[in-house]
Amino acid sequence: MTQELVSLTIIMAVAAVSPIVAQLIPGRFIPQTVLLLAAGTALGPYGLGIIEVNDAVKLLNELGMAFLFLLAGYEIDPKRLAGHQGKVGLLTWGITLGLAWLVVTFLPFFTKQGINGVATVIALTTTALGTLMPILKERNLEGTPIGDAIISYGTWGELGPILAMAILLSTRTGWQTMLVLGAFLAICLLCAMLPTKALKTGHRLYRFLTENANTSSQTLMRLTTFLLIFLVTISALFELDAVLGAFAAGFILRYIIPDGSKSLEMKLEGVGYGFLIPVFFVVSGAAINVRAVAGRPALLVAFIVMLMLIRAVPVYVALSLDKRENPLSSHHRVTVALYCTTALPIIVAVTSLAVKVGTMQGDTASTLVAAGAITVFLMPLLGSITYQVADVHPVTAVREIAHTPSDWQTIVREHAQVRALLHHQDRLKRMAETLESLEKQEGLNGLDSRRAELVERARLEIDRQLKELGLDPQLTTQLPHNYRYPKN
């Protein structure tokens, strides 16, 4: 027990220090997740050997992965899946799966590396939506057209591989697999329908649960945790991957609470991001054999390049062909495609399963997991760069400078000012939408003085920042929100 506590203490020390280090890095371009993975690799069995991945740590690691996929499933709006962008996202993922199969099957490189199996195909089609969500929140992309597109395409990049794992990596025959998945689906439907019916009928039990949600009973939190562990256990009993049960639990929770619950979300994120999910990332890093990865640099680089070609390119093409519904600039389309190429948790799950059944070597799995870990750092970084320059419209600026080279300083300054103005326009718009939703909830005269004061302070702060940029707040608020330079 002492060794288990020592390992857990070190893991939690890493978890506590990581956000501080991430904050101190200029530009905050390294996500906390990358620091957790790097620390796990350095301190794990293949590094300094300080962290021992024993049974207790493995259990917490499984719970951390379960909470990560619970929150990922909870982020998915069922209406989004059925909407236009959701359908395009599904079609795009299907094309990605076909491309991955063709490349892994017929490219000699993968055959020579001994990874021309289904596990590698699935690994090349993933998007780590659960990993991306905190990054999107940190970078204020949530609720923006960019963030919405990332979630729409990323949803199928996570859900598709989970279903593919259950079907294609099963050791059962085809009809047995379908029977087991059907039974699992029936249990999930039952878990979704009973609470929904109680909610609609206003059952006394439902009233009791909601009334005690924020007391010491924590009824909704306990039920959510029970739902998660129950479905993960059912997955284990049916010999399905725990990821499927965890993701289903999050999806069911969103179905039961379609408008969300801020109180419950804060508690889930507190338990998840405050404790269990950091354990998962540190232990994932500890599973990386640095020597094995160093011995196969070609596989590491090739896998990352293939991820970009197989996952990012189809997403970019789909956005370009769907410009009427998604009028994003070329740079923003690149941003979405890069973010959607972030892949780690599914790679960890699929390679672990492949090693367990003997279809993949441990050294190969370490290399693929390391490649996934690199994408968690590299893709959001590249996406952030393209996002930062998108509203500057560099191609347009270059054309203007080529036409009048003597005015290059003025042109650069004007493009930078327009980007700053558009950035503040987005902030003003989001604040106006928040205020409008509050007024709808409580009535125009229902806003308490404290909330009104906070809103007013925020508006004054934005006005102050605009003035520092040399912009008139009155003119900025009157500028049409869809104002843009000609698209590149």
Side-chain angles (χ1 to χ4, degrees), residues 104-145:
V104 171
T105 303
F106 296 105
L107 198 67
F109 175 82
F110 286 95
T111 304
K112 291 179 182 178
Q113 297 291 332
I115 54 170
N116 57 337
V118 176
T120 308
V121 172
I122 295 173
L124 285 168
T125 67
T126 64
T127 296
L129 184 62
T131 305
L132 280 175
M133 289 311 302
I135 297 175
L136 297 181
K137 291 177 181 177
E138 287 174 10
R139 298 181 177 178
N140 297 318
L141 289 175
E142 194 178 31
T144 66

Side-chain angles (χ1 to χ4, degrees), residues 36-67:
L36 293 171
L37 290 165
T41 304
L43 302 177
Y46 300 106
L48 299 176
I50 298 174
I51 295 175
E52 180 181 318
V53 185
N54 43 53
D55 290 341
V57 173
K58 286 180 180 177
L59 177 60
L60 291 175
N61 172 57
E62 290 291 325
L63 289 174
M65 185 169 65
F67 256 87

Side-chain angles (χ1 to χ4, degrees), residues 256-280:
I256 297 170
I257 317 173
D259 296 326
S261 169
K262 290 296 181 183
S263 175
L264 180 61
E265 290 164 18
M266 288 180 64
K267 294 167 189 173
L268 289 173
E269 290 179 355
V271 175
Y273 294 119
F275 177 34
L276 294 171
I277 294 175
V279 174
F280 166 71

Side-chain angles (χ1 to χ4, degrees), residues 58 71 100 115-116 165 205 218 237 312 354 366 417 428 475 484:
K58 286 180 180 177
L71 293 171
I115 54 170
N116 57 337
M165 284 174 59
L205 177 60
Q218 293 294 319
L237 292 174
S366 285
Q417 285 179 336
L428 286 168
L475 293 177
R484 292 288 189 277

Side-chain angles (χ1 to χ4, degrees), residues 76 80-81 127 129 150-160 247:
I76 296 173
R80 191 191 299 273
L81 289 179
T127 296
L129 184 62
I150 292 171
I151 293 174
S152 293
Y153 285 88
T155 293
W156 286 109
E158 189 132 59
L159 180 57
F247 199 84

Side-chain angles (χ1 to χ4, degrees), residues 300-315:
L300 180 73
V301 175
F303 190 79
I304 295 173
V305 171
M306 285 300 164
L307 268 173
M308 296 183 71
L309 292 175
I310 291 172
R311 184 66 184 140
V313 173
V315 171

Side-chain angles (χ1 to χ4, degrees), residues 402-443:
H403 187 261
T404 53
S406 60
D407 293 337
W408 71 270
Q409 289 181 321
T410 303
I411 294 169
V412 170
R413 185 172 62 253
E414 287 177 348
H415 278 256
Q417 285 179 336
V418 168
R419 183 197 171 277
L421 185 145
L422 292 171
H423 173 71
H424 287 284
Q425 275 289 104
D426 288 337
R427 293 182 63 187
L428 286 168
K429 182 175 181 290
R430 287 199 294 271
M431 178 167 292
E433 290 173 348
T434 302
L435 182 60
E436 184 179 351
S437 66
L438 289 172
E439 290 173 346
K440 286 181 179 178
Q441 291 173 13
E442 304 184 18

Side-chain angles (χ1 to χ4, degrees), residues 1-9 52 54 56-57:
M1 179 60 73
T2 302
Q3 183 57 47
E4 285 88 342
L5 289 173
V6 170
S7 295
L8 183 58
T9 299
E52 180 181 318
N54 43 53
V57 173

